[in-house]
Amino acid sequence: MTLHSTDFPQKMRDPDQPLLTVENLTKRYGARIGCADVSFDLYPGEVLGIVGESGSGKSTLLSCLAGHQRADLGRIAYDGRDVLAMSETDRRRLGRTDWAYVHQNPRDGLRMGVSAGGNVGERLMAVGARHYGQIRGKAVDWLGRVEIAADRVDDRPSSFSGGMQQRLQIARNLVTSPRLVFMDEPTGGLDVSVQARLLDLLRGLVRDMGLSVIIVTHDLAVVRLLAHRLMVMKSGRVVEQGLTDQVLDDPQHAYTQLLVSSVLQV
Amino acid sequence: MICIENLSKSFTLHNQGGAVIPVMGGASLTVSPGECVGLTGQSGAGKSTLMRMVYGNYLTAGGSLIVGGTDVATAEPREIIALRRHTLGYVSQFLRVVPRVPTLDVVAEPLLALGNPADEARDRAASLLKRLNIPERLWALSPTTFSGGEQQRVNIARGFAHAYPALLLDEPTASLDATNREVVLTLIEEAKVRGAAILGIFHDEGARSWVCDRLVDVTGFTPRAAA
């Protein structure tokens, strides 16, 4: 059996069917709530932003969605398949093919001792690619797309700047053409000028590849530019969700009003 | 094309003692294809509030707000996203863009989002920028460093890149010189001729009488007047 991403019926994409459906997802740490009763649909090509202060449960939610942590209650359906009922093997395969996860710290998503080209090529090999020339060609192509010069392909990511590392992590994640990308504060540790470039890159990729993205961040400016829809979390629960600019321009919940009015103007 | 009926709006300020401020009630108006309706009324009367409700930035408290068959008052976010992509354009007073993105791409973006080929989208963007007298040497630069008038023209070019059937224009000629003001008013006229329904705020009286077929005074939509 091959493990190539074309195993999944990509041609059957229906833009009017949710790609991901989450119902009443709950995760507790003993008596403490990680996240509770979270429900939403995500459609193909949609970017969903999740905002909230530290400890609001947004990262817990993301890791439960991506299968890094096991939810206690609720249901996750991806493309009509029950993710929580899947075998570990099937779920891992999904994580390698249809899904991608971009970590806040690129060191968590990259192999620091392997060359940039190797970091990207490794993902292709994990889904069955074996032809060295093709793997290298595709790796160089993807490094170009994230604006890493071809002459850096044999360098290790440890010699890259933070922004370059983050772009490399994105290339490594997107080379297998996933349909759903999870991002945890992808612009978090970056200078604002580098952030802008990354935002532009992500927007272009979402548009051109029709990606669905769930992005966790505390930066309201980032979600305004990137996310179509927004979910606001507090104490593990979703207190408000809607169209991004509606939630930011006309927030309904007391906490969202506080959050929006607390942003410093430049 | 745009049909507003008995629309109302209030703001609840949770962090200021839960004060409820009613800002609009009984707002009704229609804009037909090929028609331009100007909103009038003093500053603070609710012109921009109404525009933002039509665009879906502000939630409505009651009534209906139908744009091209979608009731913005009750639509799901994804329906509003689709409406904005295909049907409803908005030229706001402020340009909000990802920093460092070239002006040409900023203007071409609405066309790219609709799946148009990149070269066609850029050609259309270039012709609009040329018409609006943005020097070609600026096209590769981000508009964030441009003057107010230049930014406004970039915003207008972006708003007119796709032939939206419905358009919202918030002070499109506010900080423009006579030449560019005329270009913008001509663009609005052309949009009307192709059948666009336009709802706008124009403080410039000359502009108003040039392009508006009717005026609606939003003072009549303040809750006191409606009650």
Side-chain angles (χ1 to χ4, degrees):
Chain A
M1 184 173 76
T2 66
L3 293 174
H4 199 264
S5 60
T6 50
D7 281 359
F8 292 93
Q10 304 220 355
K11 285 199 189 85
M12 285 169 62
R13 284 183 204 189
D14 179 349
D16 292 323
Q17 287 298 318
L19 186 64
L20 189 76
T21 299
V22 177
E23 287 169 13
N24 304 316
L25 203 71
T26 300
K27 170 78 184 169
R28 287 173 191 280
Y29 299 106
R32 206 162 51 79
I33 291 172
C35 60
D37 293 325
V38 178
S39 301
F40 66 90
D41 286 324
L42 184 71
Y43 288 83
E46 243 181 7
V47 179
L48 172 69
I50 305 177
V51 297
E53 61 201 358
S54 324
S56 61
K58 54 192 197 301
S59 295
T60 300
L61 174 61
L62 194 73
S63 73
C64 286
L65 292 172
H68 297 172
Q69 287 192 70
R70 186 137 191 110
D72 300 325
L73 284 171
R75 193 173 148 265
I76 303 174
Y78 172 77
D79 210 10
R81 299 153 73 193
D82 186 341
V83 177
L84 297 178
M86 254 180 216
S87 71
E88 185 60 16
T89 323
D90 283 350
R91 201 197 52 69
R92 277 176 184 272
R93 183 151 69 105
L94 203 57
R96 263 200 314 271
T97 54
D98 263 31
W99 292 4
Y101 194 101
V102 176
H103 295 264
Q104 174 176 10
N105 187 342
R107 289 169 175 274
D108 296 333
L110 290 172
R111 296 230 284 151
M112 299 306 284
V114 174
S115 71
N119 263 286
V120 178
E122 190 181 60
R123 288 297 287 252
L124 287 168
M125 290 170 69
V127 295
R130 287 294 174 265
H131 186 284
Y132 176 77
Q134 285 172 5
I135 292 172
R136 190 172 167 92
K138 206 162 175 186
V140 170
D141 173 51
W142 262 96
L143 291 177
R145 285 207 225 183
V146 298
E147 300 172 46
I148 294 174
D151 63 0
R152 301 298 302 269
V153 65
D154 295 317
D155 294 349
R156 289 181 182 187
S158 47
S159 70
F160 288 2
S161 68
M164 272 175 88
Q165 287 180 359
Q166 197 55 295
R167 296 201 301 277
L168 178 61
Q169 192 193 182
I170 287 165
R172 174 178 158 97
N173 271 285
L174 297 188
V175 68
T176 51
S177 301
R179 293 164 66 185
L180 174 58
V181 184
F182 301 98
M183 295 188 183
D184 187 7
E185 302 271 9
T187 59
L190 303 174
D191 287 341
V192 281
S193 62
V194 179
Q195 227 184 59
R197 194 164 160 197
L198 197 69
L199 282 176
D200 180 41
L201 172 74
L202 290 174
R203 260 165 78 125
L205 292 171
V206 165
R207 187 183 62 217
D208 299 341
M209 298 174 73
L211 295 175
S212 299
V213 178
I214 300 179
I215 177 170
V216 159
T217 178
H218 64 268
D219 190 332
L220 299 182
V222 166
V223 285
R224 191 188 277 276
L225 292 172
L226 208 56
H228 300 114
R229 288 195 296 134
L230 194 59
M231 222 155 72
V232 182
M233 292 190 73
K234 184 180 192 302
S235 310
R237 293 178 190 272
V238 176
V239 295
E240 182 164 358
Q241 57 176 320
L243 201 64
T244 300
D245 53 21
Q246 180 263 303
V247 173
L248 296 178
D249 293 343
D250 187 15
Q252 304 294 305
H253 190 275
Y255 176 67
T256 317
Q257 291 186 355
L258 182 68
L259 203 66
V260 170
S261 64
S262 304
V263 175
L264 300 175
Q265 302 282 326
V266 287
Chain B
M1 190 68 211
I2 301 174
C3 187
I4 299 172
E5 260 183 45
N6 201 22
L7 204 64
S8 59
K9 171 74 188 161
S10 60
F11 290 106
T12 306
L13 307 177
H14 292 289
N15 300 303
Q16 290 172 43
V20 178
I21 304 171
V23 292
M24 194 176 289
S28 299
L29 68 87
T30 57
V31 188
S32 304
E35 193 183 28
C36 177
V37 174
L39 297 177
T40 61
Q42 286 187 327
S43 178
K47 301 184 293 293
S48 297
T49 298
L50 184 57
M51 298 272 270
R52 287 185 189 137
M53 287 165 80
V54 176
Y55 201 58
N57 275 29
Y58 283 0
L59 293 179
T60 54
S64 72
L65 205 172
I66 294 167
V67 182
T70 301
D71 187 352
V72 176
T74 55
E76 292 292 318
R78 57 188 301 267
E79 296 175 284
I80 296 178
I81 291 164
L83 183 75
R84 290 177 176 183
R85 194 167 286 167
H86 298 275
T87 311
L88 179 63
Y90 183 23
V91 177
S92 66
Q93 289 189 67
F94 305 100
L95 183 67
R96 206 188 302 259
V97 295
V98 178
R100 300 180 58 177
V101 175
T103 296
L104 193 67
D105 293 347
V106 166
V107 175
E109 200 191 12
L111 292 168
L112 295 174
L114 282 163
N116 290 290
D119 48 347
E120 279 176 32
R122 292 210 174 88
D123 285 351
R124 168 85 182 139
S127 75
L128 277 164
L129 287 169
K130 196 170 282 170
R131 254 187 103 175
L132 286 156
N133 301 302
I134 302 287
E136 195 165 345
R137 65 190 154 77
L138 298 181
W139 297 358
L141 306 176
S142 162
T144 45
T145 55
F146 291 5
S147 74
E150 284 166 344
Q151 289 198 6
Q152 188 172 21
R153 279 178 279 148
V154 171
N155 218 6
I156 288 163
R158 182 181 159 89
F160 281 85
H162 169 55
Y164 294 105
L167 262 176
L168 304 174
L169 305 175
D170 193 350
E171 296 272 14
T173 56
S175 48
L176 301 183
D177 57 47
T179 313
N180 286 308
R181 175 175 168 273
E182 206 168 315
V183 174
V184 172
L185 293 173
T186 308
L187 279 171
I188 296 172
E189 276 203 313
E190 288 171 8
K192 284 171 66 180
V193 169
R194 67 163 171 78
I198 300 173
L199 184 63
I201 301 173
F202 305 88
H203 280 145
D204 168 1
E205 267 185 49
R208 212 187 283 165
S209 56
W210 183 335
V211 295
C212 291
D213 300 294
R214 281 187 296 130
L215 299 177
V216 172
D217 188 343
V218 300
T219 314
F221 302 155
T222 55
R224 224 173 307 114

